[in-house]
């Protein structure tokens, strides 16, 4: 049974209510934990128990392994039990279990010692044992066991003797080692009654190939052995020449076997009992004999009385002791030492109690001081660790580590502090750009998207708006819908709340009448790209009529009212809903039914974002999007394999370059060349003196010739070496070029991987110490980080920061320290983001300061900083180019005062008006 904090984990018993339901309500639904067989009434109880089992705080009781969950510990115990049962001799199991049944012993170790002493020299038929023959041990099989005989003429030699008898063993069962199974008999008496040394055993030596170590070389030196000569031999031996394998029978494995097979109650003097299933398997009686039961009860009563007496003498009330002493004095029965001794004992007991109390207080005080000292002197932290456990010290501050994070701007978000609209805006842009291929729309920047959403004139028309709505309408034609779901939803709302309320002066009845004849043919309208997607506004209303309702699109009534009704001629609603600071605007009233093509440009940007976000959420379930995601998954798998191959090839090239470095720069001694030069000079001098008629010169001539030859050989070797080094240099340059190509390919794989992964799941760059999520949306899906010719491209050109999730906030609250105070110190009051709130860094210097603020000693910020380092060569150029584009498109004050005549020309020069869809299909 697995243990938790050194205590065995007990399974939860069914409650009385469940047991009662088993009889009265057998069809009642319960929660069943299959791994343990436990049953729970409520899901909360089931989850709590499962969470407890999943904690890494359990220990395997057999092996001692810790840091496991309950199921791992249980599996470890089962595995060890299977291994132990397969090793422990089957012939011993029944005898050992019969010996330990009903034994009363306080400690398991004492029981193991007693069993081991009884059975270490006793062997049973069919056991495999080691037999010592001429100093060597051979594995043998016990054929027959001969108990001691009373006949005096039977003598057995201690040495093994080969048996030539072919008489088969007798089939009559013989009782062997029965005395050993009764642990009540002392060991010496059991040996006297049934001496294991007087037993005889007929064994058969196993063949050579079945002996341990067969096939391994014999390490004995100067000793020739022929182990095969005894194979198959029958021998008569006694226990002095026999032994068991230590892996099969030892005190440790015997302890594990007994602990796995027996159990004991927690009561005093409870006997060890074999588990019922195991007892039935090995024929061990599970009914306690009457004499044993009486003995156990006597032991229990004796132990209980003994403990009670000891307690009364040592810790019982002093009044009782005094009364007992007084009664004894009246009866004339006094202790040997007299009444004074009793009173002295009472006083001594009081002194001892006071002393023990003082010692306990002193020990508690010392323990608290020790814990305080340990807390003060913490062990050195191994980094990286939990980010909130990292605190900047004076050393880091002096080194220039930033304490306060640069404040991201909430007002610089596309829709300011309207967090819901910002979230919908970012999701919509990311969805359309990432799935540009199945949507057949070219990528565009987030600034272009924001400009298109704020386009508020009917002429010139915004092509980007038309393409976005048309592509989404096309893909929503493949998504199942309920005809007139919006009308049905509005009618149900009218029945529940009545028709008294109106929105912008339009009742539900008026709205449904206006919707009746608009967009009925939306799923078949052509919306051709070559015709400027003419009629997309009417198809949009039809799409909303069939796909939307008040449940999945709460602003449906307001949006449809604005698309189908125009104000009176005296009113000119603008796209902005902000009131004038001096006057309060009159409530907007829309009274005139109008074609949606004449009203969409007056729709506020917030409503446009809600419409596109709603359509994007529906488009996710389309077959085209799902097919594209599956294709991206397949391409991701291919990229992973390619990356592995490229890295393997790169590693091989680097190893070749390292080997060539040894050839190019060998460890040569520089003075060698100088000696060669001196020898060459000496050779020339000797050649000049060779003409002098001198016997010494004539004798030196052969030496000079040998020197010239050796010098020539050295020069030839030097030329060959120089040629080899030159070739190695050329090979190294070639390999370095190949490595550079592979590195560029790895960079390309990373960019492609980011594009494809963005189509499957969008992940942030990482999280900071306070669980704020950092987002960079560029380079995902249909967008690319590098254009044709290596030009820099961007989608957002900025870094977004999103506040922690609700779960993360709960994690922060559970910490002991004051996280809010630390956030105010390190983020600033204005920089603290709430749950899901968005802010942005538009300036590259702010992003640099943010990266410098990240502390690599924390696990989250280390990962985030590494990700920034990985993509910095794309983040920084993208932000610079966006800043340059914004500066180039900025209007001078005079341009803002241009006349209405040139307003259309100014709008056409806006970047979002110059966008064209190069992926549009000609037929649609």
């Amino acid at each position: 049974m697995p243990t938790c904090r050194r205590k065995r984990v007990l399974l939860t018993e069914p409650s009385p209510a469940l047991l009662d339901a088993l009889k009265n309500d057998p069809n009642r639904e319960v929660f069943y934990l299959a791994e343990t067989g436990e049953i729970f009434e409520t899901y909360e109880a089931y989850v709590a128990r499962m969470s407890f089992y999943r904690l890494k705080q359990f220990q395997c009781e057999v092996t001692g392994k810790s840091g496991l969950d309950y199921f791992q510990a249980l599996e470890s115990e089962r595995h060890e039990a299977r291994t132990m049962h397969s090793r422990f001799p089957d012939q011993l199991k029944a005898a050992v279990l019969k010996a330990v049944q009903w034994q009363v012993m306080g400690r398991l170790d004492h029981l193991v010692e007693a069993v081991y002493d009884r059975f270490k020299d006793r062997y049973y038929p069919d056991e495999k044992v080691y037999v010592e023959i001429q100093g060597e041990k051979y594995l043998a099989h016990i054929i027959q066991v001969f108990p001691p005989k009373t006949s005096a003429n039977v003598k057995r030699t201690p040495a093994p003797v080969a048996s030539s008898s072919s008489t088969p063993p007798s089939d009559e069962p013989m009782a062997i080692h029965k005395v050993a199974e009764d642990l009540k008999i002392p060991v010496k008496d059991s040996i006297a009654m049934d001496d294991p040394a007087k037993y005889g055993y007929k064994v058969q030596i196993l063949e050579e190939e079945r002996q341990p170590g067969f096939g391994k070389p014999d390490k004995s030196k100067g000793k020739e052995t022929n182990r095969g000569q005894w194979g198959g031999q029958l021998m008569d031996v006694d226990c002095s020449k026999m032994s068991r394998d230590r892996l099969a029978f030892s005190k440790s494995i015997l302890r594990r076997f007994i602990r796995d097979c027996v159990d004991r109650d927690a009561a005093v003097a409870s006997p060890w009992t074999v588990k019922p299933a195991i007892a039935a398997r090995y024929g061990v009686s599970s009914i306690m004999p009457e004499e044993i039961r009486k003995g156990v009860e006597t032991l229990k009563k004796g132990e209980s009385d003994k403990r009670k007496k000891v307690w009364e003498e040592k810790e019982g009330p002093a009044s009782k002791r005094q009364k007992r002493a007084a009664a004894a004095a009246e009866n004339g029965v006094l202790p040997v030492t007299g009444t004074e001794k009793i009173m002295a004992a009472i006083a001594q007991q009081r002194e001892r109690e006071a002393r023990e109390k003082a010692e306990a207080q002193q020990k508690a005080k010392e323990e608290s001081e020790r814990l305080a000292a340990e807390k003060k002197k913490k062990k050195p932290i191994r980094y990286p660790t939990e980010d909130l456990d990292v605190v900047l010290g004076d050393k880091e501050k002096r080194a220039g580590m930033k304490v306060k994070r640069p404040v991201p701007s909430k007002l610089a978000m596309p829709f300011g502090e309207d967090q819901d609209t910002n979230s919908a805006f970012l999701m919509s842009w990311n969805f359309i750009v990432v799935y540009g291929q199945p949507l057949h729309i070219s990528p565009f920047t987030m600034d272009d998207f924001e400009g298109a959403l704020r386009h508020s004139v009917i002429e010139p028309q915004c092509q980007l708006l038309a393409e976005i709505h048309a592509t989404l309408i096309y893909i929503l034609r493949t998504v199942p819908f309920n005809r007139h779901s919006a009308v049905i939803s509005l009618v149900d709302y009218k029945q529940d709340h009545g028709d008294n309320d109106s929105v912008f002066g339009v009742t539900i009845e008026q709205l449904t009448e206006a919707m009746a004849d608009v967009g009925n043919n939306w799923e078949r309208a052509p919306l051709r790209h070559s015709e400027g997607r003419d009629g997309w506004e009417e198809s949009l209303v039809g799409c909303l009529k069939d796909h939307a309702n008040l449940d999945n699109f709460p602003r449906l009534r307001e949006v449809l009212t604005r698309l189908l009704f125009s104000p009176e001629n005296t009113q000119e609603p603008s796209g902005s809903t902000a009131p004038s600071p001096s006057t309060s605007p009159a409530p907007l009233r829309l009274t005139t039914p109008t074609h949606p093509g004449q009203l969409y440009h007056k729709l506020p940007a917030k409503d446009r974002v809600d419409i596109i976000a709603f359509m994007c959420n529906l488009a996710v379930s389309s077959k085209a999007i799902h097919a594209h995601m599956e294709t991206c998954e397949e391409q991701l798998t291919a990229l992973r394999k390619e990356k592995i191959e490229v890295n393997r090839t790169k590693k091989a090239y680097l190893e070749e370059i390292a080997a060539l470095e040894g050839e190019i720069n060998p460890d040569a001694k520089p003075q060698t060349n100088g000696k060669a030069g001196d020898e060459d000079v000496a050779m020339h001098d000797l050649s000049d003196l060779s003409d002098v008629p001198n016997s010494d010169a004539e004798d030196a001539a052969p030496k000079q010739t040998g020197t010239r030859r050796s010098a020539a050989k050295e020069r030839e070797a030097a030329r060959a070496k120089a040629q080899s080094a030159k070739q190695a240099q050329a090979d190294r340059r070639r390999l370095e070029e190949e490595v550079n190509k592979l590195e560029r390919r790895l960079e390309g794989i990373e960019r492609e991987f980011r594009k494809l992964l963005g189509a499957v799941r969008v992940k942030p760059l990482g999280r900071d110490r306070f669980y704020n999520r950092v987002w960079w949306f560029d380079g995902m899906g249909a967008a690319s980080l590098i254009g044709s010719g290596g030009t820099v491209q961007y989608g957002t050109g900025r870094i977004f920061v999103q506040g922690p999730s609700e779960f993360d906030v709960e994690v922060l609250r559970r910490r002991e320290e004051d996280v809010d105070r630390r956030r105010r110190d390190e983020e600033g009051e204005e920089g603290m983001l709430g749950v899901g709130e968005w802010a942005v860094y538009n300036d590259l210097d702010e992003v640099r300061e943010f990266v410098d603020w990240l502390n690599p000693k924390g696990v989250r910020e280390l990962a985030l900083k590494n990700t920034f380092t990985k993509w910095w060569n794309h983040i920084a150029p993208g932000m610079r180019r966006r800043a340059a584009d914004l500066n180039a498109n900025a209007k001078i004050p005079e341009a803002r005062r241009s006349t209405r005549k040139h307003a259309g020309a100014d709008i056409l020069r806006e970047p979002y008006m110059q966008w064209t869809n190069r992926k549009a299909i000609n037929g649609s």
Side-chain angles (χ1 to χ4, degrees):
M1 182 69 67
T3 59
C4 179
R5 297 185 180 94
R6 298 183 180 180
K7 294 183 180 179
R8 302 180 74 179
V9 180
L10 301 179
L11 299 181
T12 304
E13 296 292 336
S15 64
L18 282 178
L19 296 177
D20 184 63
L22 179 63
K23 301 177 182 178
N24 303 327
D25 187 13
N27 295 326
R28 178 178 177 178
E29 293 185 353
V30 295
F31 297 90
Y32 176 62
L33 187 57
E35 292 85 348
T36 60
E38 295 171 293
I39 301 174
F40 303 93
E41 289 185 75
T42 62
Y43 180 72
E44 289 75 13
Y46 168 83
V47 170
R49 193 66 174 176
M50 179 61 78
S51 301
F52 170 68
Y53 284 150
R54 291 297 182 188
L55 294 175
K56 299 286 186 178
Q57 62 181 13
F58 295 91
Q59 183 178 16
C60 174
E61 194 176 16
V62 179
T63 63
K65 293 180 182 177
S66 59
L68 308 174
D69 62 29
Y70 179 83
F71 306 110
Q72 292 173 341
L74 189 63
E75 179 58 30
S76 176
E77 291 184 1
R78 289 173 178 171
H79 174 72
E80 292 297 327
R82 287 193 295 266
T83 304
M84 180 268 299
H85 280 288
S86 65
R87 289 178 177 175
F88 197 83
D90 291 334
Q91 298 77 11
L92 269 178
K93 291 179 179 177
V96 170
L97 293 176
K98 290 177 182 177
V100 302
Q101 180 76 311
W102 314 122
Q103 294 300 317
V104 180
M105 289 191 183
R107 291 176 58 87
L108 181 62
D109 294 338
H110 298 162
L111 185 63
V112 172
E113 290 282 351
V115 174
Y116 182 79
D117 292 339
R118 295 298 179 95
F119 290 95
K120 64 180 179 180
D121 292 326
R122 300 180 185 272
Y123 302 91
Y124 290 81
D126 294 332
E127 262 198 274
K128 286 185 179 180
V129 295
Y130 284 103
V131 178
E132 185 177 352
I133 305 175
Q134 297 178 359
E136 296 284 339
K137 288 190 176 182
Y138 296 84
L139 191 63
H141 180 255
I142 299 178
I143 303 298
Q144 193 172 1
V145 181
F146 302 104
K149 296 184 178 180
T150 58
S151 178
N153 60 353
V154 178
K155 296 182 180 179
R156 297 192 181 276
T157 60
V161 178
S163 174
S164 59
S165 174
S166 60
T167 305
S170 175
D171 293 336
E172 296 179 3
M174 294 182 293
I176 59 174
H177 307 307
K178 285 297 181 183
V179 178
E181 297 178 3
D182 190 358
L183 295 184
K184 294 184 180 62
I185 303 175
V187 179
K188 292 182 179 180
D189 295 346
S190 68
I191 293 176
M193 297 170 60
D194 188 25
D195 192 353
K198 294 182 180 180
Y199 275 78
Y201 302 91
K202 177 173 286 188
V203 300
Q204 183 177 20
I205 309 299
L206 299 183
E207 290 77 5
E208 183 180 8
E209 56 271 11
R210 298 176 63 185
Q211 295 289 337
F214 174 73
K216 297 181 180 179
D218 193 359
K219 297 181 179 179
S220 59
K221 297 182 179 179
K223 183 178 179 181
E224 295 182 359
T225 58
N226 187 5
R227 300 181 64 89
Q229 64 178 337
W230 302 103
Q233 291 280 349
L234 291 173
M235 294 184 177
D236 290 339
V237 295
D238 59 18
C239 65
S240 63
K241 298 296 181 182
M242 300 168 64
S243 62
R244 292 187 178 93
D245 187 359
R246 287 191 58 80
L247 293 177
F249 185 79
S250 63
K251 288 184 181 179
S252 61
I253 197 169
L254 180 62
R255 174 187 174 87
R256 288 165 56 184
F257 173 73
I258 294 176
R259 182 170 55 187
D260 190 62
C261 295
V262 302
D263 204 351
R264 182 177 64 173
D265 292 337
V268 178
S270 295
W272 294 96
T273 58
V274 181
K275 296 177 181 178
I278 299 176
R281 179 178 178 184
Y282 292 102
V284 181
S285 175
S286 297
I287 302 174
M288 184 184 295
E290 186 64 24
E291 61 274 11
I292 295 178
R293 185 183 62 78
K294 290 181 179 179
V296 169
E297 290 179 354
T298 303
L299 282 174
K300 286 185 177 181
K301 188 174 185 303
E303 285 290 332
S304 177
D305 294 343
K306 183 179 178 181
R307 294 188 178 188
K308 183 178 180 181
K309 184 178 181 180
V310 170
W311 181 84
E312 287 180 351
E313 290 180 353
K314 290 186 176 180
E315 300 181 6
S319 59
K320 281 191 175 182
R321 292 199 300 270
Q322 293 175 359
K323 288 180 181 179
R324 192 162 54 248
E330 290 177 1
N331 296 331
V333 182
L334 291 177
V336 179
T337 56
T339 309
E340 293 81 2
K341 186 67 176 291
I342 296 176
M343 301 305 295
I346 294 173
Q348 187 179 2
Q349 174 69 18
R350 290 176 179 173
E351 292 177 0
R352 185 169 61 251
E353 291 176 354
R355 187 170 58 253
E356 289 177 354
K357 185 177 181 180
E359 290 177 355
Q361 292 177 352
Q362 181 66 20
K363 189 177 292 185
K365 183 179 179 181
E366 293 176 355
E367 182 69 16
S368 61
E369 291 176 354
R370 185 185 63 81
L371 292 175
E374 286 184 357
K375 190 174 182 181
K376 201 171 187 179
K377 184 181 178 182
K378 291 183 179 179
K379 293 182 179 179
I381 303 174
R382 296 182 62 182
Y383 297 108
T385 184
E386 164 58 37
D387 297 73
L388 292 175
D389 292 339
V390 179
V391 180
L392 285 182
D394 295 335
K395 183 178 179 181
E396 288 85 356
K397 293 178 182 178
R398 286 194 300 268
M401 181 72 75
K402 293 186 177 299
V403 179
K404 190 172 181 180
R405 187 192 72 181
V407 179
S409 175
K410 296 180 183 179
L411 296 177
M413 289 295 295
F415 288 88
E417 297 187 1
D418 188 350
Q419 298 298 331
D420 293 336
T421 306
N422 282 325
S423 297
F425 172 81
L426 293 173
M427 184 276 294
S428 304
W429 177 86
N430 184 72
F431 177 85
I432 297 169
V433 172
V434 165
Y435 295 106
Q437 183 174 346
L439 292 175
H440 304 293
I441 188 169
S442 299
F444 46 87
T445 67
M446 187 175 286
D447 293 322
D448 293 344
F449 186 48
E450 181 182 356
L453 290 175
R454 299 187 186 280
H455 184 80
S456 59
V457 295
I458 192 170
E459 288 293 339
Q461 293 186 355
C462 178
Q463 183 183 3
L464 179 56
L465 271 182
E467 292 292 331
I468 289 173
H469 287 86
T471 54
L472 291 174
I473 290 170
Y474 267 115
I475 205 163
L476 290 182
R477 292 175 178 178
T478 63
V479 177
F481 57 85
N482 296 322
R483 183 71 70 181
H484 303 300
S485 63
V487 176
I488 296 173
S489 178
L490 290 171
V491 171
D492 292 341
Y493 180 85
K494 174 184 174 182
Q495 292 176 354
D496 294 339
H497 300 83
D499 196 21
N500 297 326
D501 63 329
S502 61
V503 175
F504 303 129
V506 178
T507 62
I508 292 179
E509 183 177 357
Q510 292 173 333
L511 179 59
T512 54
E513 290 177 358
M515 292 167 57
D517 297 329
V518 180
N520 294 329
N521 198 31
W522 72 274
E523 69 271 22
R524 289 183 294 275
L527 304 181
R528 295 185 177 87
H529 171 69
S530 57
E531 298 176 358
R533 307 290 188 182
D534 185 37
W536 67 266
E537 296 92 344
E538 184 176 355
S539 296
L540 172 63
V541 174
C543 178
L544 294 177
K545 282 171 56 178
D546 290 345
H547 277 289
N549 54 61
L550 292 176
D551 293 329
N552 59 15
F553 192 11
R555 289 185 51 81
L556 174 65
R557 185 177 177 185
E558 291 84 350
V559 169
L560 288 177
T561 302
R562 286 181 178 273
L563 285 174
L564 295 174
F565 289 88
S566 62
E568 298 177 357
N569 295 333
T570 57
Q571 286 184 322
E572 287 291 336
S574 62
S576 175
T577 59
S580 172
S582 59
T583 60
S584 177
L588 179 65
R589 293 184 59 82
L590 308 176
T591 57
T592 307
T594 310
H595 191 273
Q598 303 294 323
L599 295 176
Y600 185 88
H601 69 281
K602 298 181 180 180
L603 200 65
K606 175 180 171 58
D607 290 342
R608 302 185 191 188
V609 172
D610 290 341
I611 293 172
I612 296 175
F614 169 73
M615 299 174 76
C616 290
N617 285 327
L618 293 179
V620 172
S621 60
S622 64
K623 293 182 179 179
I625 300 297
H626 281 195
H628 181 70
M629 294 173 68
E630 293 175 359
T631 304
C632 291
E633 288 280 9
E634 296 173 358
Q635 294 177 4
L636 283 172
T637 302
L639 278 180
R640 291 187 184 100
K641 295 179 180 178
E642 183 183 357
K643 184 177 180 180
I644 293 172
E645 291 298 327
V646 172
N647 280 322
R648 186 181 291 119
T649 306
K650 178 184 174 182
K651 182 180 179 182
Y653 285 164
L654 291 176
E655 291 175 354
E656 291 183 23
I657 291 174
L660 291 174
E661 284 290 343
E663 298 181 12
I664 296 172
N665 299 317
D667 295 330
K669 294 183 180 180
Q671 62 267 26
T672 304
N673 296 332
K675 289 184 178 181
D678 295 342
E679 291 177 357
D680 194 42
V681 172
M683 179 189 69
H684 288 296
D685 294 341
L686 289 173
S687 65
D688 294 338
L689 298 173
S690 62
D691 295 337
V692 178
N694 192 315
S695 59
D696 295 337
E698 291 176 0
D699 294 335
K703 295 181 180 179
Q704 297 171 6
T705 305
T707 303
R708 285 195 295 270
R709 289 177 181 173
S710 62
K713 289 181 179 179
E714 289 179 2
R715 287 193 296 272
E716 185 65 27
R719 282 194 294 270
K721 188 175 181 180
Q723 184 66 25
S724 175
K726 186 177 181 181
Q727 181 63 35
Q729 190 76 21
D731 291 341
R732 186 181 69 173
R733 284 195 296 270
R734 178 182 57 81
L735 291 174
E736 288 176 348
E737 291 177 0
E738 293 294 332
V739 170
N740 290 335
K741 290 180 182 178
L742 293 177
E743 289 178 349
R744 289 194 295 272
R745 178 55 192 149
L746 286 174
E747 292 177 2
I749 289 175
E750 289 294 337
R751 291 194 299 271
E752 293 176 22
F753 197 89
R754 178 175 173 81
K755 290 177 63 175
L756 296 172
L757 188 63
V760 179
R761 67 186 69 89
V762 182
K763 297 171 62 178
L765 290 177
R767 299 183 296 176
D768 66 6
R769 67 194 69 168
F770 301 115
Y771 294 94
N772 294 308
R773 289 159 286 181
V774 181
W775 296 88
W776 179 55
F777 295 104
D778 294 7
M780 290 190 290
S784 179
L785 293 172
I786 297 179
S788 57
T791 58
V792 177
Q793 290 187 339
Y794 68 92
T796 61
R798 48 196 135 166
I799 298 296
F800 293 92
V801 183
Q802 187 182 16
S805 63
E806 294 182 357
F807 177 80
D808 296 332
V809 170
E810 185 64 27
V811 172
L812 292 175
R813 287 174 181 166
R814 291 180 181 177
R815 291 188 60 85
E816 296 179 358
E817 63 176 318
D818 189 357
V819 179
D820 290 337
R821 182 184 60 79
R822 183 173 175 181
R823 290 190 68 181
R824 284 192 295 270
D825 294 340
E826 299 181 9
E827 291 184 322
E829 194 73 38
E830 66 280 5
M832 294 175 59
L833 298 177
V835 176
E837 286 187 347
W838 288 91
V840 65
Y841 289 118
N842 288 320
D843 188 49
L844 184 59
D845 293 334
E846 290 180 338
V847 178
R848 283 199 183 95
E849 292 179 10
F850 174 72
V851 175
D852 293 339
W853 175 77
L854 299 175
N855 196 329
K857 291 183 178 180
V859 287
R860 291 188 296 277
E861 294 194 356
L862 174 62
L864 178 57
K865 196 160 191 173
N866 290 338
T867 308
F868 264 112
T869 304
K870 176 182 177 181
W871 295 105
W872 187 255
N873 291 334
H874 298 286
I875 294 175
M879 295 188 71
R880 289 195 202 96
R881 182 171 178 184
R882 176 176 181 264
D885 291 347
L886 291 178
N887 291 332
N889 295 323
K891 296 180 180 179
I892 60 174
E894 288 77 5
R896 296 177 185 172
R897 293 195 298 269
S898 59
T899 60
R900 193 174 186 87
K901 179 179 179 181
H902 301 90
D906 290 340
I907 292 176
L908 288 175
R909 285 196 292 268
E910 293 290 338
Y912 73 89
M913 295 295 292
Q914 299 174 11
W915 175 88
T916 56
N917 188 8
R918 295 183 177 85
K919 292 185 179 181
I921 301 176
N922 293 330
S924 62

